[in-house]
Amino acid sequence: MRALPHLKQFTEVAEQEIMHSGHVACPGCGAAIAMRLALKTLGRRTIIVFPACCWAVIDGPFPYSACSVPVFQVAFETASISAGAIRAGLDITGKKDINVVAWAGDGGTFDIGFGQLSACAERNDNIIYVCYDNEAYMNTGIQRSSATPWGSWTTTTPGTDFKKERKKNLLEIMAAHRIPYAATTTVAYPDDLIRKFRKAMSIDGFKLIHIFSPCPPGHKALEKDSILESRYAVESRVFPLYEVEHGTHYKLSMDPPQRPVRDYLALQGRFKHLTDEQRDFIQKSTDEEWARLMHFMKVSEAVE
Amino acid sequence: MSQKPIIYKSWRELPLMTASMGDTTVNKTGSWRNVEPHHVEQVAPCSLRCPAGNDVVGFVTLAAAGKLEEAWHLLAETTPFPGTCGRVCPHPCETECNRDHLGGAINIHSVERYIADYFMDKPPEQKPGTFSGKHVAVIGSGPAGLSCAYHLKRFGHAATVFEAHSKAGGMLRVGIPDYRLPPEVLDAEIRRIIDLGVEIITGSRVGKDVSFDQLVHKFDAVFAAVGFTNSRPLGAEGDDGDDVVPGIEVLRKINLGMDDGVGNKPLVVGGGNTAMDVARSLLRKGKDVSVIYRRTRYEMPAIAEEIDELLAEGIEITFLATPVEVLRENGKMTGVKCIRMKLGEPDASGRRRPVPIEGSEYVIEADCVITAIGETTDLEFLPDDIRAKTSWNIPADELGRTAFDKLYAGGDVADGAGTVTAAIGYGRRAAIAIDAAFRGKPVADNAAMSPSLRERTGYAIPFEEINTAYFEDLPRSEPGSLKVSERIKTLDEVHQGFSEADLEKEAKRCFSCGTCPACDNCYIFCPDAAISKVKDDKNKLYLVDIEYCKGCGICAAECPRGCIVMKAVR
């Protein structure tokens, strides 16, 4: 009387457990869920490159590693080019079936590794670049990054000096490089995440996957609410899920019924200082961004 | 603290590059935890509210998976009357259903009815328990009596049912009109009970054809389930004529295919199910029937749907009035003098007491009066010594045990609950108590529940524990029913059953509150890979590796149906 097929919510995820227990991510870490699902999809023929980021720590102290695939720990700004170099080496030795993944946080992607990322994308190196975005330098003590959204508290934007600059739009920047594949995804939708990794694996060239990854200590949210926060980010359109092929073809992955941004903000202590007007402002700018994205979708459809 | 000596190594002794030699499973991160998840299967509110003790989530989800035979067997654990209950039960399960907050309650009664109807002509084989040598007499073949006999037989005891009427079924047979419960359905379900090996002796009234003392002497136990048999008198002037008849008497005649013996303009007095049933039956016989009730619609004890259907069929209910005198001319009724009422203080039942308004008498035209203002028991069959210690009922605990040797009682004669399902549940609990007494074992606390639910520890998942992100907002399906213009002409069944497509659609809407269907959410979302799937274990689907669980609680938060609870680490 068990296992009633109609009540299955998600497609089967692979049983192989490549990311091991015992890693040192905080309880409820979104990045750990993302890595676990990504590795299940990528399989054992994978090489990962970590720049300085949470995952450089999460992976465990020497001589242990949470991921039972080869992992390279590289300098902060070099995730993309290191991965590109590993790919070049593999290509020379004729090993074509290995996924090379650069796995960087938002600091290593939006700020410090940004120049190399752009260069690597321009050269169209055959790698999967994953940015797990927890919207600040969480690992070093929650300092602001250019991925931190408007209105957010961090230790470098405390109190009334909350961040007054908007978040960089990484996908638009990468789309402007006309890379073969760029996509956003998040941990609350495993089907979507797995599908996008599968798609990235099947494409030659530079692929970027931008994962919204809730961070309970950094977002001042409850550990148990990581998936809820991730889901609300999509439902409130703060973090829409879409893909861009060849920099021009935009495709929306899902369009759930809209939820007010307030619901998303309310889950996180980093927004608790915001006044009603400021919350309305975030709603307004979210709606504008969404309208802009819809415009891209429309243009893409017209081109097709 | 002793200082560790520093060991110096030459570059030759160091590896070419630092490479990890092992994985992090050496790091027991479970020590970070202060709460831990427990997979706990709980009982859904529908199952908890079912008076018959059915495992509602169990049979609905099995039906959704297309496993109809398994669903039938699960229902057979608790009730021999799924086809009957699927039709006439006021379904308190649906009132409690958590789906009510998202698209409407699951149409549970139609699912139950579909399962029963699917196997109506050819029920799956059922075997009685190994014969224990004990023999029980059951007085009355209503839902309580037959349910008790059925379960006793399943437990391995012989059961003989004594029925005063010529046909078995009790109130199901004579009290419920054919348009609600077709006789073929009842016949099939009673046949199933007989096929199991229950003996039913019809036309044998205990107290007349066979004495109560004989039964006590001859059988190892006696279960009295005689139900409500007598109508309460009207209490109006001139209510002793032949043209003032009890409602259950009229229903009995109609149900047994006899002439109803009622005039052309009957006035039904009362607001309960009997009043609704008799009025609607008489309408179908072409009578110009109307109903009078002394309180308002809000206080009517009848099933709300029955009242709606009665009104839809064009029968008028006069509220806040009651008959005070039957008017006759030359021995023939010409009308009924009634008085208007108003509502006063609440009475013992919690409903507001009707108070007559003086001087407000008026006359309603009628040629006969049918009383349906409540029924009561007839305990004349009991010997005087027991009779002296009973009141209107035979006092019994919820397991049917009475203060008297060998005597058990259940159904309306014990609690007066007045619904088929309550009687079925009472019969089953009594059978469990009788079985326990025979075997000299105590009765478990949760004996009233379906055996499939007894090992569960938590109860009644509230809607707040359902994670609605995993369910679509789909509307409830209703099966078709006969049009009013058609149904008032015949005694054909008003409501139809589900089609196969409807059944699947509706059963799949079930949240399956508290029952883990192995959706894998906890496994998928665990950031620490600490939850693994268990294969080849019937009782366990997932295993939490406590050595690595950091206690984040994502599994409990993302469980769609409240099957995981977080408990503090001791």
Side-chain angles (χ1 to χ4, degrees), chain B residues 331-544:
Chain B
K332 199 173 169 331
M333 193 187 293
T334 55
V336 181
K337 191 199 265 182
C338 300
I339 188 163
R340 298 252 184 234
M341 314 287 272
K342 65 179 180 205
L343 292 180
E345 294 300 305
D347 64 7
S349 72
R351 299 177 300 171
R352 290 175 68 189
R353 188 194 305 276
V355 185
I357 303 170
E358 270 187 53
S360 67
E361 288 89 345
Y362 70 114
V363 176
I364 294 180
E365 207 184 307
D367 61 5
C368 80
V369 171
I370 294 162
T371 57
I373 52 171
E375 286 95 38
T376 185
T377 51
D378 177 3
L379 299 179
E380 288 302 317
F381 71 94
L382 289 173
D384 292 342
D385 56 329
I386 295 180
R387 185 85 187 83
K389 289 179 195 153
T390 57
S391 56
W392 66 270
N393 66 348
I394 306 176
D397 68 5
E398 60 169 18
L399 291 163
R401 294 177 291 208
T402 68
F404 314 105
D405 188 34
K406 280 187 176 180
L407 177 63
Y408 294 78
D412 281 346
V413 77
D415 65 357
T419 68
V420 173
T421 334
I424 290 170
Y426 218 140
R428 188 169 75 89
R429 294 195 300 273
I432 290 167
I434 294 169
D435 177 59
F438 284 165
R439 297 182 195 276
K441 284 192 292 195
V443 182
D445 287 344
N446 52 8
M449 263 189 236
S450 169
S452 54
L453 299 174
R454 282 192 198 145
E455 281 172 17
R456 304 202 174 179
T457 46
Y459 298 114
I461 302 264
F463 179 67
E464 290 67 35
E465 281 189 37
I466 302 294
N467 192 333
T468 51
Y470 298 103
F471 301 101
E472 277 183 82
D473 186 359
L474 297 170
R476 169 186 165 110
S477 311
E478 289 287 357
S481 51
L482 287 184
K483 276 191 206 142
V484 170
S485 56
E486 286 168 27
R487 72 191 191 206
I488 58 171
K489 289 177 201 152
T490 67
L491 284 170
D492 288 349
E493 190 168 17
V494 170
H495 294 292
Q496 286 144 18
F498 267 149
S499 66
E500 199 183 328
D502 280 344
L503 172 89
E504 197 185 328
K505 205 168 98 196
E506 187 64 12
K508 283 186 177 177
R509 288 176 66 238
C510 176
F511 286 154
S512 128
C513 309
T515 298
C516 173
C519 77
D520 281 359
N521 267 20
C522 54
Y523 166 76
I524 290 172
F525 287 125
C526 179
D528 292 292
I531 297 180
S532 53
K533 291 199 247 186
V534 179
K535 283 168 193 158
D536 319 319
D537 188 339
K538 249 173 82 184
N539 301 317
K540 219 174 217 157
L541 289 161
Y542 300 100
L543 191 71
V544 180

Side-chain angles (χ1 to χ4, degrees), chain A residues 131-147:
Chain A
C131 171
Y132 66 98
D133 179 7
N134 46 31
E135 304 196 319
Y137 290 83
M138 297 310 184
N139 181 27
T140 49
I142 322 170
Q143 291 86 6
R144 90 190 266 292
S145 77
S146 55

Side-chain angles (χ1 to χ4, degrees), chain A residues 21 23 25 36 40 63 65 231, chain B residues 21-22 523 527-528 550 558:
Chain A
S21 307
H23 62 70
R36 183 164 166 253
K40 276 172 177 287
S65 168
R231 186 160 57 232
Chain B
M21 309 310 284
Y523 166 76
D528 292 292
K550 291 170 189 161
E558 293 310 308

Side-chain angles (χ1 to χ4, degrees), chain B residues 72 75 81-84 87 111-121 189:
Chain B
W72 187 90
L75 274 167
F81 290 115
T84 303
R87 287 173 167 84
V111 175
E112 182 180 15
R113 173 176 163 170
Y114 185 93
I115 297 165
D117 287 2
Y118 191 86
F119 295 104
M120 192 60 78
D121 299 326
E189 300 206 306

Side-chain angles (χ1 to χ4, degrees), chain B residues 231-249:
Chain B
S231 241
R232 286 215 187 101
L234 183 60
E237 218 171 299
D239 66 357
D240 47 359
D242 290 344
D243 43 10
V244 178
V245 279
I248 47 173
E249 197 57 33

Side-chain angles (χ1 to χ4, degrees), chain A residues 1-34 36-37 40 55 57-68 71-73 186-191 194 216 222-229 231-232 235 259, chain B residues 15 17-29 32 41 55 58 60-62 64-65 67 70 74 452 456 467 469-471 507-512 515-531 533 535 538-542 545 548 550-554 557-558 560-561:
Chain A
M1 38 182 302
R2 293 290 189 182
L4 308 167
H6 71 283
L7 291 166
K8 280 258 180 239
Q9 309 300 331
F10 299 115
T11 48
E12 294 261 331
V13 299
E15 297 246 333
Q16 54 184 353
E17 207 67 81
I18 300 175
M19 187 198 85
H20 294 289
S21 307
H23 62 70
V24 294
C26 311
C29 177
I33 303 171
R36 183 164 166 253
L37 293 173
K40 276 172 177 287
W55 252 102
V57 178
I58 295 171
D59 196 41
F62 177 77
Y64 305 112
S65 168
C67 305
S68 54
V71 167
F72 290 83
Q73 302 244 8
T186 186
V187 288
Y189 300 93
D191 274 358
I194 290 168
L222 294 175
E223 291 157 3
K224 72 177 178 67
D225 283 345
S226 288
I227 300 296
L228 185 70
E229 185 191 325
R231 186 160 57 232
Y232 277 14
E235 288 180 355
R259 177 179 288 283
Chain B
M17 73 191 274
T18 48
S20 297
M21 309 310 284
D23 64 48
T24 47
T25 44
V26 294
N27 189 15
K28 305 278 196 268
T29 49
W32 303 10
E41 295 221 305
D55 179 357
V60 171
T61 48
L62 282 171
K67 298 176 184 171
E70 278 182 58
L74 184 63
S452 54
R456 304 202 174 179
N467 192 333
Y470 298 103
F471 301 101
K508 283 186 177 177
R509 288 176 66 238
C510 176
F511 286 154
S512 128
T515 298
C516 173
C519 77
D520 281 359
N521 267 20
C522 54
Y523 166 76
I524 290 172
F525 287 125
C526 179
D528 292 292
I531 297 180
K533 291 199 247 186
K535 283 168 193 158
K538 249 173 82 184
N539 301 317
K540 219 174 217 157
L541 289 161
Y542 300 100
D545 195 340
Y548 300 107
K550 291 170 189 161
C552 66
I554 286 181
E558 293 310 308
R561 40 187 74 78

